[in-house]
Amino acid sequence: MENALIIGASGGIGAAVAQELTARGVQVTGLSRSADGLDVTDEASIQEHLSRLDGSFDLIFVATGALEIDGAAPEKSIKRLDPQAMMDQFRLNTIGPAMVLKHAIGLVPRKERAVMAVLSARVGSIGDNGLGGWYSYRTAKAAVNQIVHSAAIEFARTHKELACVALHPGTVETDFTAKYADSHPTVTPEVAAKRLCDVMASLTPEETGRFYDYAKKEIPW
């Protein structure tokens, strides 16, 4: 990897991945809401910011997302479902990454090895769901996994050296997870970043369209 674009570069995981890639000698371009005004829930904002970029990127990492939006906590019961909270989850965790893939594919080289990775979550796996609950977040992540899988099929027709994947980082010690880690083992953003960068560096075109965790173990859809 030589040139990386990180969407959501000011967040806990995005910032740590940017730092890790820089330490590995990768040229990193970062975009975020706080630093650049990029709003991933607004397609026009995504298009505007990406159109300003020159050159191509052999790594594009989408690190945006949130578990709790505007104080709406994950639902423990279907009785707690709220249409607005569900829409907010889809705007940020599904539609945002989808629009990034839509407009960022033009920044990926067609004939050279490249990676597009979207930060997902194990709870978005339907096959791995044995607890239920967290309806809006689970569903939004399941939907973005489908976006990644479908996009990978399409992109493979024109970008034969591209691996487009969804990644689960584990439970990372950030403000994002502070209230929900419970007894789950957690890692620092720096450890998570190293693991994710190792996975992204190892991906091959034959592995496109899949869903991996931080140890590159495939997660069922």
Side-chain angles (χ1 to χ4, degrees):
M1 297 180 290
E2 297 181 359
N3 296 293
L5 171 63
I6 299 179
I7 307 297
S10 66
I13 295 176
V17 168
Q19 184 176 9
E20 176 67 22
L21 289 172
T22 300
R24 297 184 184 203
V26 178
Q27 182 68 39
V28 176
T29 299
L31 290 174
S32 68
R33 177 192 288 270
S34 61
D36 308 286
L38 171 65
D39 182 357
V40 296
T41 67
D42 179 358
E43 183 180 7
S45 178
I46 294 171
Q47 185 172 19
E48 177 185 355
H49 281 83
L50 295 185
S51 67
R52 297 174 185 168
L53 301 177
D54 295 322
S56 62
F57 298 91
D58 54 6
L59 171 62
I60 296 178
F61 179 53
V62 185
T64 56
L67 174 57
E68 185 176 304
I69 302 173
D70 292 337
E75 312 92 350
K76 294 182 179 180
S77 167
I78 199 166
K79 295 178 181 179
R80 302 293 298 176
L81 280 179
D82 175 76
Q84 185 59 53
M86 293 191 77
M87 287 300 300
D88 290 343
Q89 282 289 332
F90 269 79
R91 287 190 186 96
L92 182 58
N93 289 318
T94 305
I95 299 173
M99 293 301 103
V100 172
L101 293 180
K102 173 183 176 179
H103 292 285
I105 186 60
L107 299 172
V108 177
R110 283 178 174 260
K111 298 182 180 180
E112 301 172 14
R113 180 191 175 277
V115 171
M116 298 183 85
V118 173
L119 201 62
S120 186
R122 186 182 297 274
V123 296
S125 166
I126 296 174
D128 191 59
N129 181 4
L131 295 175
W134 288 31
Y135 289 90
S136 298
Y137 183 70
R138 282 187 187 275
T139 307
K141 286 299 188 180
V144 82
N145 288 346
Q146 183 70 282
I147 292 289
V148 170
H149 185 65
S150 294
I153 294 170
E154 178 180 346
F155 293 163
R157 297 170 188 146
T158 54
H159 295 70
K160 299 187 183 301
E161 298 300 315
L162 173 65
C164 180
V165 300
L167 295 178
H168 166 63
T171 304
V172 185
E173 297 170 7
T174 66
D175 293 340
F176 181 86
T177 60
K179 293 195 296 184
Y180 304 101
D182 296 327
S183 60
H184 295 287
T186 61
V187 297
T188 64
E190 291 73 23
V191 169
K194 183 181 185 304
R195 291 173 173 178
L196 290 172
C197 288
D198 286 345
V199 172
M200 291 187 287
S202 71
L203 288 168
T204 66
E206 292 73 26
E207 294 169 317
T208 195
R210 299 181 184 178
F211 183 16
Y212 293 105
D213 73 2
Y214 53 86
K216 206 181 179 183
K217 294 180 179 178
E218 193 164 0
I219 301 172
W221 295 116

